[in-house]
Amino acid sequence: MGIGQLPCSRHLAWPLLGTCAFTLLATAALMAHVLQRDFTVVPREWSGLSRGPEEANQARIRGPQHAPESHSRPGPVPTQCDVPPNSRFDCAPEAAITQEQCEARGCCYIPAQHGLQGPRMGQPWCFFPPSYPSYRLENLTATQMGYTATLTRATPTFFPKDILTLRLEVLMETESRLHFTIKDPANKRYEVPLETPPVHGQTLAPLYSVEFSQEPFGVVVRRKLDGRVLLNTTVAPLFFTDQFLQLSTTLPTPYVVGLAEHLSPLMLSTNWTKITLWNRDMAPEPGVNLYGSHPFYLVLEDGGSAHGVFLLNSNAMDVVLQPSPALSWRTTGGILDVYVFLGPEPKSVVQQYLAVVGYPSMPPYWGLGFHLCRWGYSSTAIVRQVVENMTRAGFPLDVQWNDLDYMDARRDFTFNKDGFEDFPAMVQELHQGGRHYVMLVDPAISSTGPAGSYRPYDEGLRRGVFIINATGQLLIGKVWPGASAFPDFTSPETQSWWQDMVAEFHSQVPFDGMWIDMNEPSNFVKGSEVGCPDNELENPPYVPGVAGGTLRAATICASSRQYLSTHYNLHNLYGLTEAIASHRALVMARGTRPFVISRSTFASHGRYAGHWTGDVWSSWEQLALSVPATLVFNLLGVPLVGADICGFLGNTSEELCVRWTQLGAFYPFMRNHNSLDSLPQEPYRFSATAQEAMREAFALRYALLPHLYTLFQRAHVSGETVARPLFLEFPQDPHTWTVDRQLLWGEALLITPVLEAGKTEVTGYLPAGTWYNLQTVPMDALGSLPPPYPTPLKSVIHSQGQWVTLPAPLDTINLHLRGGYIIPLQGPSLTTTESRKQPMALVVALSSSGEAQGELFWDDGESLGVLEHGAYTLVIFLAKNNTVVNKLVHVASEGAGLQLRKVTVLGVATAPQQVLSNGVPVSNFTYSPDTKILDIPVSLVMGEQFLISWS
């Protein structure tokens, strides 16, 4: 529930949703028209084309020169093993096998060249020949939405329980979205319970064409504009067994992003990389599966176009990238449910993906302030002292948090009577100071106390809300409180119970948000206290590359049972379903916009909650990798994201903490948090020099909060990103594609942080355009903002698209405002409660043609349904021909009276002789011929039309 309920918003639906029914087209003439326009059968054996179904014969058959791949008809033994090494698809995905075993499968065996460490490294030694048997396409039929067909396999694979007959359904849903599913027509299989957009008819003008290979079966998707192949599944055989499904495709370029969550650069390596999706409690390190699973990727194409692919599947999976370039999905259950997004711009791909999984929710304004936490705040007295220390040192603090320390015996919905006896009073004091409070809540519920001693467990047991094992008994694992049961958040009764527990605790302690941790779910024993049974779900024929080697490692038994299905199918949804339950519980308990931060995530998570990147180390490497982590979650529709500032594990250094605070001021979610075993790292712990550098970063963030809030509103209503990679704005500049040590806020603000020790300058890429250095902008009218930079700085860079070395002493983070944009600023304070009352300013960054535009969204910062109720103000700012005007899109009491006290115009070429504000001369304007900055003091109101001009 955000500030507005959008028609494109999606939600999980309980119980499991079925697919829509589609009717056949009424006439053969219309069928032929559709087929001829958007569909071609591409046979694999061109010289001996066998007749397909009658409908297929109406389509134009293309010759071999148009074929994405041309191979001979499958045969029983490998006769064609001269496949280029980078184009070899692994015929032994489950284990290393011998040459004899490989050839018994009908596959080719060629050991890799010297230098590789074994058959599991690099290119596969055992690989499919082009003739390897796959499915055959039959009974192709046009429908109201696209096509259906039957897929049949004559030869079983080397995995057990082949499903030899499949149903293909192709849905041409929108001009930029193609959707196809491959299912077992005879038996209902698990499908992800995500409600997707209803579609009532086939699009008439798709950006894509669809082709099919008959034998072996494959789907080929092309971009109509240039004929580029975006998806080609003919390159390797389709596998569809009970517990192993594989679909491979070519990629048009090796520039792939997505497939989170992993500790990696933004661009994924296609050099034989295996990416595992199985949510895991794991301190981030390269090459392992982490807390979230997002089976979506975006590919940048030559020329700046892009496309995306989403496999709607929540089972444990590997995604294999290889240098040809190509990609293989290997999942352990469910169905193949594939969406292809045509863009063509990268930002359009993101919006099209979010139109399926849901746009992000709108956070409360206070949620964008600074959050402070530490595992080890062991009493209310310590928390009060921390808040007082922050205030004395002049650091903003909006939200105080507590880790496990507040709980009684580490049990949810309790507080201990030793250090936290006056816990409710402490939270009330935070509220009186204009602050908010968030606490840790873990999903595991202690099961150890005597009956009647712990209401959440007693009530949960009575209402049947906990996950059970394969034989129907309560599954008991071990987490922080000891022996624990795990709520099944896919059950409506569990969601109701969770709402009750949240409401009851909120009536004692008026907390404002929930921090849901350990929700992969994490378990300190493998599976359960009594282990797991030896069955196909616990020991599937294919185990993806999960840390720990088994699906039960650090979590509960895969064979345990939940309301909707087995945990084998639902594991990756656990954090998402808890986030949904917590989101709804907070709405019920507080009646305002919910604030939830979760560790575990899945596709659509941003609609309900934000995310922090988990137990990162206090290291320069993890500081740098937090930039791509922040960027990729924005591409996945989770814009409220950030890493623990200064690191969670280990001890930070002063320099690292300063640089991390400077970057963290530009995480959409800004929190400093660290571990019980680490040295404290609150900002006031450091030297006066370090503190002053941190204060400047805080002041910049708080001054920019109106702009940040406006970006979140655009994400909420339009599916835009908040923090975004450079390639999203400049896709036609290939130099931006791999940049992941800088980030943009929206379209206009470029952040270039220092990410290495001992550096006093930093090199960043400035795409073509005019870039103004915000450090040179005088902001004294806004009160406590940092003073202008003491040494001469280049106030503007006219870039042709180039790398630039920028001065970056310890007190500086480089911010550049893009010419052509206007951003609102507001005087910073120690809380957003106070900063929202401060006067505002506009910074107008003129383009080379003297124009600029921007906007401001404002509401009360926390109410639900403000869009529906019209309780908001939206103002657009325009600069052109030496004037700045505002356009009132919508004005309400909230925001109408915001005071505008200053307009700073960057890039004014010559000194103005006169400045007018609503026709009245402004006598005290200032102009610098060196920096080309015009400063105009004004006394205006945002909710009333104004016109400022200079001549």
Side-chain angles (χ1 to χ4, degrees), residues 753-804:
V754 173
L755 303 172
E756 297 175 64
K759 300 292 185 181
T760 56
E761 57 183 27
V762 62
T763 299
Y765 187 76
L766 270 63
T770 303
W771 296 92
Y772 297 94
N773 188 339
L774 271 189
Q775 297 283 353
T776 64
V777 176
M779 301 185 192
D780 48 293
L782 293 177
S784 58
L785 276 169
Y789 197 75
T791 54
L793 277 178
K794 194 167 184 179
S795 61
V796 63
I797 297 174
H798 300 284
S799 177
Q800 302 302 309
Q802 62 206 56
W803 292 93
V804 178

Coordinates of all heavy atoms in Angstrom, one line a residue, residues 753-804:
P753 N 32.0 9.1 -5.8 CA 32.7 8.9 -4.5 C 34.1 8.4 -4.5 O 34.5 7.8 -5.6 CB 31.8 7.8 -3.8 CG 31.3 7.0 -5.0 CD 31.2 7.9 -6.1
V754 N 34.8 8.6 -3.5 CA 36.2 8.0 -3.3 C 36.0 6.7 -2.7 O 35.4 6.5 -1.6 CB 37.1 8.9 -2.4 CG1 38.4 8.2 -2.2 CG2 37.3 10.3 -3.1
L755 N 36.5 5.6 -3.3 CA 36.3 4.3 -2.9 C 37.6 3.5 -2.6 O 37.6 2.3 -2.5 CB 35.5 3.5 -4.0 CG 34.2 4.1 -4.4 CD1 33.6 3.4 -5.6 CD2 33.2 4.1 -3.2
E756 N 38.7 4.3 -2.5 CA 40.0 3.7 -2.2 C 40.7 4.5 -1.1 O 40.4 5.7 -0.9 CB 40.9 3.7 -3.5 CG 40.4 2.8 -4.6 CD 41.2 3.0 -5.8 OE1 42.4 2.6 -5.8 OE2 40.7 3.5 -6.8
A757 N 41.6 3.8 -0.4 CA 42.2 4.4 0.8 C 43.3 5.4 0.3 O 43.9 5.2 -0.8 CB 42.9 3.3 1.6
G758 N 43.5 6.4 1.0 CA 44.6 7.3 0.8 C 44.5 8.2 -0.4 O 45.5 8.8 -0.9
K759 N 43.3 8.4 -1.0 CA 43.2 9.1 -2.2 C 42.7 10.5 -1.9 O 41.8 10.7 -1.1 CB 42.2 8.5 -3.2 CG 42.6 7.0 -3.6 CD 43.8 7.1 -4.5 CE 44.2 5.7 -5.0 NZ 45.4 5.7 -5.8
T760 N 43.2 11.5 -2.6 CA 42.7 12.9 -2.5 C 42.2 13.4 -3.8 O 41.9 14.6 -4.0 CB 43.8 13.8 -1.9 OG1 44.9 13.8 -2.8 CG2 44.2 13.5 -0.5
E761 N 42.1 12.5 -4.8 CA 41.4 12.8 -6.0 C 40.8 11.5 -6.5 O 41.1 10.4 -6.1 CB 42.4 13.4 -7.1 CG 43.6 12.5 -7.4 CD 44.5 13.2 -8.4 OE1 44.6 14.4 -8.4 OE2 45.2 12.5 -9.1
V762 N 39.8 11.7 -7.4 CA 39.1 10.6 -7.9 C 38.8 10.8 -9.4 O 38.6 11.9 -9.9 CB 37.8 10.4 -7.1 CG1 36.8 11.6 -7.3 CG2 37.0 9.1 -7.5
T763 N 38.8 9.7 -10.1 CA 38.5 9.8 -11.6 C 37.1 9.2 -11.8 O 36.8 8.2 -11.3 CB 39.6 8.9 -12.4 OG1 40.9 9.5 -12.1 CG2 39.2 9.0 -13.9
G764 N 36.4 10.0 -12.6 CA 35.0 9.6 -12.9 C 34.7 9.9 -14.3 O 35.4 10.7 -15.0
Y765 N 33.7 9.3 -14.8 CA 33.3 9.5 -16.2 C 32.1 10.5 -16.3 O 31.1 10.3 -15.5 CB 32.8 8.2 -16.9 CG 32.5 8.3 -18.3 CD1 33.6 8.4 -19.2 CD2 31.2 8.4 -18.8 CE1 33.4 8.5 -20.6 CE2 31.0 8.5 -20.2 CZ 32.1 8.6 -21.1 OH 31.8 8.8 -22.4
L766 N 32.3 11.5 -17.1 CA 31.2 12.5 -17.3 C 30.7 12.3 -18.7 O 31.4 12.6 -19.7 CB 31.8 13.9 -17.1 CG 31.7 14.5 -15.6 CD1 32.5 13.6 -14.7 CD2 32.1 15.9 -15.6
P767 N 29.5 11.8 -18.8 CA 28.9 11.7 -20.2 C 28.8 13.1 -20.9 O 28.9 14.1 -20.2 CB 27.5 11.1 -19.9 CG 27.6 10.4 -18.6 CD 28.6 11.3 -17.8
A768 N 28.6 13.0 -22.2 CA 28.5 14.3 -22.9 C 27.4 15.2 -22.4 O 26.3 14.8 -22.1 CB 28.2 14.0 -24.4
G769 N 27.8 16.5 -22.2 CA 26.8 17.4 -21.7 C 27.6 18.4 -20.8 O 28.8 18.4 -20.6
T770 N 26.8 19.3 -20.1 CA 27.3 20.3 -19.2 C 27.1 19.8 -17.8 O 25.9 19.4 -17.4 CB 26.6 21.6 -19.4 OG1 26.8 22.0 -20.8 CG2 27.1 22.7 -18.5
W771 N 28.1 19.8 -17.0 CA 28.0 19.3 -15.6 C 28.6 20.4 -14.7 O 29.7 20.8 -14.8 CB 28.9 18.0 -15.5 CG 28.3 16.9 -16.3 CD1 28.7 16.6 -17.6 CD2 27.3 16.0 -15.9 NE1 28.0 15.5 -18.0 CE2 27.1 15.1 -17.0 CE3 26.5 15.8 -14.8 CZ2 26.2 14.1 -17.0 CZ3 25.6 14.8 -14.7 CH2 25.4 13.9 -15.8
Y772 N 27.7 20.8 -13.8 CA 28.1 21.9 -12.8 C 28.4 21.3 -11.5 O 27.8 20.4 -11.0 CB 26.9 22.8 -12.6 CG 26.4 23.6 -13.8 CD1 25.4 23.1 -14.6 CD2 27.0 24.8 -14.2 CE1 25.0 23.7 -15.8 CE2 26.6 25.5 -15.3 CZ 25.6 24.9 -16.1 OH 25.2 25.6 -17.3
N773 N 29.5 21.7 -10.9 CA 30.0 21.2 -9.6 C 29.2 21.9 -8.5 O 29.3 23.1 -8.3 CB 31.5 21.6 -9.5 CG 32.1 20.9 -8.3 OD1 31.4 20.5 -7.3 ND2 33.4 20.8 -8.3
L774 N 28.4 21.0 -7.8 CA 27.6 21.6 -6.7 C 28.4 22.1 -5.6 O 27.8 22.9 -4.8 CB 26.6 20.5 -6.2 CG 25.3 20.4 -7.0 CD1 24.3 19.5 -6.2 CD2 24.6 21.8 -7.1
Q775 N 29.7 21.8 -5.4 CA 30.5 22.3 -4.4 C 30.7 23.8 -4.5 O 31.0 24.5 -3.6 CB 31.8 21.6 -4.3 CG 31.7 20.1 -4.0 CD 31.5 19.8 -2.5 OE1 31.5 20.8 -1.7 NE2 31.2 18.6 -2.1
T776 N 30.5 24.3 -5.8 CA 30.8 25.7 -6.0 C 29.5 26.6 -5.9 O 29.5 27.8 -6.1 CB 31.4 26.0 -7.4 OG1 30.4 25.6 -8.4 CG2 32.6 25.2 -7.6
V777 N 28.4 25.9 -5.6 CA 27.1 26.6 -5.5 C 27.0 27.2 -4.1 O 27.0 26.5 -3.1 CB 25.9 25.7 -5.8 CG1 24.6 26.4 -5.6 CG2 26.0 25.1 -7.2
P778 N 26.8 28.6 -3.9 CA 26.7 29.2 -2.6 C 25.3 28.8 -2.1 O 24.3 29.1 -2.8 CB 26.8 30.7 -2.9 CG 26.5 30.8 -4.3 CD 26.9 29.6 -5.0
M779 N 25.2 28.3 -0.9 CA 23.9 27.8 -0.4 C 23.7 28.4 1.0 O 22.9 27.9 1.8 CB 23.9 26.3 -0.3 CG 24.1 25.6 -1.6 SD 23.8 23.8 -1.4 CE 24.4 23.2 -3.0
D780 N 24.3 29.5 1.3 CA 24.3 30.1 2.7 C 22.8 30.5 3.1 O 22.5 30.5 4.3 CB 25.2 31.3 2.8 CG 25.0 32.3 1.7 OD1 25.3 31.9 0.5 OD2 24.5 33.4 1.9
A781 N 22.0 30.8 2.1 CA 20.6 31.2 2.5 C 19.8 30.1 3.1 O 18.8 30.3 3.8 CB 19.9 31.7 1.2
L782 N 20.3 28.8 3.0 CA 19.6 27.7 3.5 C 20.1 27.3 4.9 O 19.8 26.3 5.4 CB 19.8 26.5 2.6 CG 19.0 26.7 1.3 CD1 19.3 25.5 0.4 CD2 17.6 26.9 1.5
G783 N 21.0 28.2 5.5 CA 21.4 27.9 6.9 C 22.6 27.1 7.0 O 23.7 27.5 6.6
S784 N 22.5 25.9 7.5 CA 23.7 25.1 8.0 C 24.3 24.3 6.9 O 25.0 23.3 7.2 CB 23.3 24.3 9.2 OG 22.3 23.4 8.8
L785 N 24.1 24.6 5.6 CA 24.8 23.8 4.6 C 26.3 24.1 4.6 O 26.7 25.1 5.1 CB 24.2 24.2 3.2 CG 22.9 23.5 2.8 CD1 22.3 24.1 1.6 CD2 23.2 22.0 2.5
P786 N 27.1 23.2 4.1 CA 28.5 23.4 4.1 C 28.9 24.6 3.3 O 28.2 25.0 2.3 CB 29.1 22.1 3.5 CG 27.9 21.5 2.7 CD 26.7 21.9 3.5
P787 N 29.9 25.4 3.7 CA 30.3 26.6 3.0 C 30.9 26.2 1.6 O 31.3 25.0 1.4 CB 31.4 27.2 3.9 CG 31.9 26.0 4.7 CD 30.8 25.1 4.9
P788 N 31.0 27.1 0.7 CA 31.6 26.8 -0.6 C 33.0 26.3 -0.4 O 33.7 26.6 0.6 CB 31.6 28.2 -1.3 CG 30.5 28.9 -0.7 CD 30.5 28.5 0.8
Y789 N 33.5 25.5 -1.3 CA 34.8 24.9 -1.3 C 35.9 26.0 -1.1 O 35.9 27.0 -1.9 CB 35.0 24.1 -2.5 CG 36.1 23.1 -2.4 CD1 35.9 21.9 -1.7 CD2 37.3 23.3 -3.1 CE1 36.9 21.0 -1.6 CE2 38.3 22.3 -3.0 CZ 38.1 21.2 -2.3 OH 39.1 20.3 -2.2
P790 N 36.8 25.8 -0.2 CA 37.8 26.9 0.1 C 38.8 27.2 -1.0 O 39.3 28.3 -1.1 CB 38.5 26.4 1.3 CG 38.3 24.9 1.3 CD 37.0 24.7 0.7
T791 N 39.2 26.2 -1.8 CA 40.1 26.4 -2.9 C 39.4 26.5 -4.2 O 38.3 25.9 -4.4 CB 41.2 25.3 -2.9 OG1 40.5 24.0 -3.0 CG2 42.0 25.2 -1.6
P792 N 40.0 27.1 -5.2 CA 39.4 27.3 -6.5 C 39.0 26.0 -7.1 O 39.8 25.1 -7.2 CB 40.4 28.1 -7.3 CG 41.3 28.7 -6.3 CD 41.3 27.8 -5.1
L793 N 37.8 25.8 -7.6 CA 37.3 24.6 -8.2 C 36.8 25.0 -9.6 O 36.3 26.1 -9.8 CB 36.2 24.0 -7.4 CG 36.5 23.1 -6.3 CD1 35.3 22.6 -5.6 CD2 37.3 21.9 -6.7
K794 N 36.9 24.1 -10.5 CA 36.2 24.3 -11.8 C 34.7 24.1 -11.6 O 34.2 23.1 -11.2 CB 36.8 23.2 -12.8 CG 36.4 23.6 -14.2 CD 37.2 22.7 -15.2 CE 37.0 23.2 -16.6 NZ 37.7 22.4 -17.6
S795 N 34.0 25.2 -11.9 CA 32.6 25.2 -11.5 C 31.8 24.5 -12.6 O 30.7 24.0 -12.3 CB 32.1 26.7 -11.4 OG 32.3 27.3 -12.7
V796 N 32.3 24.3 -13.8 CA 31.5 23.6 -14.8 C 32.4 22.8 -15.7 O 33.6 23.3 -16.0 CB 30.7 24.6 -15.6 CG1 31.5 25.6 -16.4 CG2 29.7 23.9 -16.6
I797 N 32.0 21.7 -16.2 CA 32.7 20.9 -17.1 C 31.8 20.7 -18.3 O 30.7 20.1 -18.2 CB 33.2 19.6 -16.5 CG1 34.1 19.8 -15.3 CG2 33.8 18.7 -17.6 CD1 34.5 18.5 -14.6
H798 N 32.3 21.1 -19.5 CA 31.6 20.8 -20.7 C 32.2 19.5 -21.3 O 33.2 19.6 -22.0 CB 31.7 22.0 -21.7 CG 31.1 23.3 -21.1 ND1 29.8 23.5 -21.1 CD2 31.8 24.3 -20.6 CE1 29.6 24.7 -20.5 NE2 30.8 25.2 -20.2
S799 N 31.6 18.4 -21.1 CA 32.2 17.1 -21.4 C 31.7 16.7 -22.8 O 30.6 16.9 -23.2 CB 31.7 16.1 -20.4 OG 32.2 14.8 -20.7
Q800 N 32.6 16.1 -23.5 CA 32.3 15.4 -24.8 C 32.1 13.9 -24.5 O 31.9 13.2 -25.5 CB 33.5 15.6 -25.7 CG 33.9 17.0 -26.0 CD 32.7 17.8 -26.6 OE1 32.1 17.4 -27.6 NE2 32.4 18.9 -26.0
G801 N 32.0 13.5 -23.3 CA 32.0 12.1 -22.9 C 33.4 11.7 -22.6 O 34.1 11.1 -23.5
Q802 N 33.9 11.9 -21.3 CA 35.3 11.7 -21.1 C 35.5 11.4 -19.6 O 34.6 11.7 -18.7 CB 36.1 13.0 -21.4 CG 35.6 14.2 -20.6 CD 35.9 15.5 -21.4 OE1 35.4 15.7 -22.5 NE2 36.7 16.4 -20.8
W803 N 36.6 10.8 -19.3 CA 37.1 10.6 -17.9 C 37.7 11.8 -17.4 O 38.6 12.4 -18.1 CB 38.0 9.4 -17.9 CG 37.3 8.1 -18.2 CD1 37.2 7.5 -19.4 CD2 36.6 7.2 -17.3 NE1 36.5 6.3 -19.3 CE2 36.1 6.2 -18.1 CE3 36.4 7.3 -15.9 CZ2 35.4 5.1 -17.5 CZ3 35.6 6.3 -15.4 CH2 35.1 5.2 -16.1
V804 N 37.4 12.2 -16.2 CA 37.9 13.4 -15.6 C 38.5 13.1 -14.2 O 37.8 12.4 -13.4 CB 36.8 14.5 -15.5 CG1 37.3 15.8 -14.8 CG2 36.2 14.8 -16.9

